[in-house]
Amino acid sequence: MLREINDRAAIEVLLRSGPLTRSELEVAIGLSKPATAQLLTRLEQDKVVGKAGERGGGRGPRAQLWAVNGGLAHVVAVDLTPNLADFVVADVAGTVLAEYRVQLPVHEGADVVGTFGEALRHVTAQAGIDLAALANVVIGAQGAFDPRTGRLSSAPHIPGWLGFDVPARLSEELGIAVTIENDVNLVAVEEMSEGKAQDVDDFVMVWLSEGVGGAVVIGRRLLRGATGGGGEIDWMRVPDPAIVDTGDEWPEAGARFGNLVDSPAVTRLAKAHGITAEAAWDAVAQAKSLPGNGFLDDLARRVAGGIASLVAVADPQLILLCGETSRAGGEEFAANVAEKLHALVLPRTPVGVASVQGNAVRAGALQSALATAREDVFGVVTPTLLGSRRPAGGTPSAALPSSAESRKDESPENESRPSSPHR
């Protein structure tokens, strides 16, 4: 048992920080020089680790480097959007082997499973591996994923993917394990792994871009909820605190939060303040150079009004804003949101801008896929990144509104326009 614990600790360190020399690994796992040498010999014989070059540059002999054998398993991560599917193949050590970006059909009636499979075969061939050799595939998609039924909802922008058990169908057709996850949840995973939330237990992410999304993390675990709707802040009803008239008419119950801070709503708010822009992030960028213009204050009030409900219930340590609108505003806008938020709630929760760069959805999907593969291959468990297991039985309860239901009564003019995609 002790040997297994030491082996697992060494593998975990090498996955996180490798390649390492024997002496570096010795310090990291707290074993003696002979014990570490025996451990490496044992793991090399089992083909779990291997020699990975040498480190020189100082006096004395060059030091042998050791790394995990990445060829033991391979994974694929995918960011699926209406306009583009972004694939990446990596080995279990996290080395990227191939990337592929392609537009896949998402319209109703399209052969979404068949075309996805073709793209997956293409990228695995680029990586030099067979499809059957994949340990698992993780897909990030814009919508709410119900883990009990395998179905996506609140995703009218990808109608071809609605109405069936997505992971079950893909797994059956492709012969490999497939998981699907909400896109903003995966951004939160990446932020926990590489960004500002690495040492934070409880935080909330708010995605502000073409559309609106959110993720809630409690105790370093994603809060998905009973139907997969955890973090779907787009649907909250909140009053509009803007001090200018944008011409919108909201129902008595309040506006949908997503219809207050998505890109079309933000551009209307900017126009009411004398700023003309085609997208929310452009309006925010313009406003930063216009001292005294009240647009950013009004936008911060709207954002804070939605976040306040989350803070009152979850009392997180941190709020992180992400998406193009948030990045355009930067830390200055985040501080403005914090000021407005603290006038509404008791906790003085800090607000910042997410730090992860590039395609954070795909990166988070890769982190999740690697976590599952590493647990299966090495027994190394990363609780933060593990997806929920679907219950073996039970009767599903009411899920989020379907894509058809989501189009009813939701726009300023009777709120009838469809829900916007998060990105």
Side-chain angles (χ1 to χ4, degrees):
M1 177 63 73
L2 182 59
R3 174 180 292 184
E4 291 180 2
I5 293 173
N6 289 336
D7 288 356
R8 195 172 294 124
I11 293 167
E12 188 171 1
V13 169
L14 287 171
L15 286 170
R16 184 176 63 247
S17 306
L20 297 175
T21 65
R22 179 203 49 76
S23 60
E24 290 170 337
L25 183 61
E26 174 187 326
V27 172
I29 61 179
L31 291 182
S32 66
K33 178 178 179 180
T36 304
Q38 291 174 4
L39 179 151
L40 285 171
T41 299
R42 184 169 62 249
L43 292 179
E44 184 182 26
Q45 290 174 345
D46 291 340
K47 294 182 169 45
V48 174
V49 304
K51 296 180 176 67
E54 296 178 337
R55 178 177 295 157
R59 294 181 178 179
R62 298 169 68 86
Q64 179 67 59
L65 290 170
W66 296 87
V68 168
N69 178 7
L72 291 174
H74 298 87
V75 300
V76 171
V78 187
D79 176 21
L80 178 65
T81 74
N83 302 316
L84 192 73
D86 191 353
F87 291 74
V88 61
V89 183
D91 65 24
V92 74
T95 302
V96 171
L97 304 178
E99 297 176 290
Y100 181 48
R101 295 172 181 83
V102 61
Q103 184 167 3
L104 297 180
V106 297
H107 60 273
E108 188 173 357
D111 181 14
V112 295
V113 173
T115 54
F116 182 89
E118 290 175 6
L120 189 59
R121 290 183 182 90
H122 176 87
V123 72
T124 51
Q126 279 188 325
I129 60 174
D130 293 329
L131 186 65
L134 292 178
N136 67 84
V137 176
V138 175
I139 305 170
Q142 305 166 15
F145 169 67
D146 190 332
R148 306 153 311 141
T149 65
R151 297 189 176 198
L152 278 169
S153 63
S154 306
H157 43 286
I158 49 174
W161 288 90
L162 303 180
F164 64 96
D165 187 329
V166 176
R169 177 83 64 82
L170 287 172
S171 297
E172 180 181 357
E173 292 286 336
L174 301 173
I176 53 177
V178 179
T179 301
I180 191 163
E181 180 62 87
N182 171 264
D183 56 350
V184 186
N185 280 353
L186 292 174
V187 177
V189 166
E190 178 66 4
E191 197 69 32
M192 280 190 281
S193 304
E194 304 291 342
K196 291 181 179 179
Q198 290 184 64
D199 300 316
V200 178
D201 290 330
D202 309 321
F203 70 98
V204 169
M205 294 207 75
V206 178
W207 181 282
L208 302 173
S209 187
E210 182 64 31
V212 180
V216 179
V217 174
I218 301 295
R220 304 279 305 165
R221 280 196 165 290
L222 286 166
L223 181 64
R224 294 177 174 86
T227 65
E232 288 296 311
I233 57 176
D234 179 16
W235 295 87
M236 294 190 303
R237 294 286 176 174
V238 293
D240 183 3
I243 61 174
V244 296
D245 182 7
T246 60
D248 295 319
E249 294 183 6
W250 308 114
E252 186 176 344
R256 219 177 78 187
F257 181 58
N259 287 342
L260 284 177
V261 293
D262 64 7
S263 185
V266 173
T267 57
R268 291 195 300 272
L269 180 63
K271 186 176 181 179
H273 282 280
I275 299 173
T276 301
E278 294 185 359
W281 42 97
D282 294 330
V284 170
Q286 287 185 49
K288 291 173 69 175
S289 63
L290 299 173
N293 189 287
F295 162 63
L296 290 178
D297 284 335
D298 259 352
L299 180 57
R301 290 187 189 94
R302 283 184 170 183
V303 175
I307 294 175
S309 299
L310 301 176
V311 172
V313 173
D315 189 16
Q317 295 167 266
L318 179 65
I319 301 287
L320 287 174
L321 307 179
C322 57
E324 291 175 288
T325 305
S326 303
R327 287 195 295 269
E331 293 296 340
E332 183 180 352
F333 178 68
N336 197 348
V337 172
E339 178 185 344
K340 306 298 189 293
L341 174 66
H342 298 162
L344 301 175
V345 294
L346 183 61
R348 292 298 179 259
T349 310
V351 180
V353 179
S355 59
V356 292
Q357 301 296 317
N359 189 336
V361 176
R362 195 189 76 169
L366 181 58
Q367 293 282 2
S368 185
L370 287 172
T372 301
R374 289 168 177 176
E375 182 187 19
D376 292 341
V377 175
F378 305 120
V380 173
V381 179
T382 311
T384 295
L385 307 181
L386 295 184
S388 60
R389 305 293 184 183
R390 190 184 307 181
T395 303
S397 58
L400 287 177
S402 67
S403 59
E405 291 169 335
S406 73
R407 289 192 283 268
K408 298 177 181 178
D409 304 324
E410 297 301 340
S411 71
E413 301 80 10
N414 294 324
E415 294 197 282
S416 58
R417 63 186 175 85
S419 152
S420 298
H422 294 165
R423 290 168 285 144

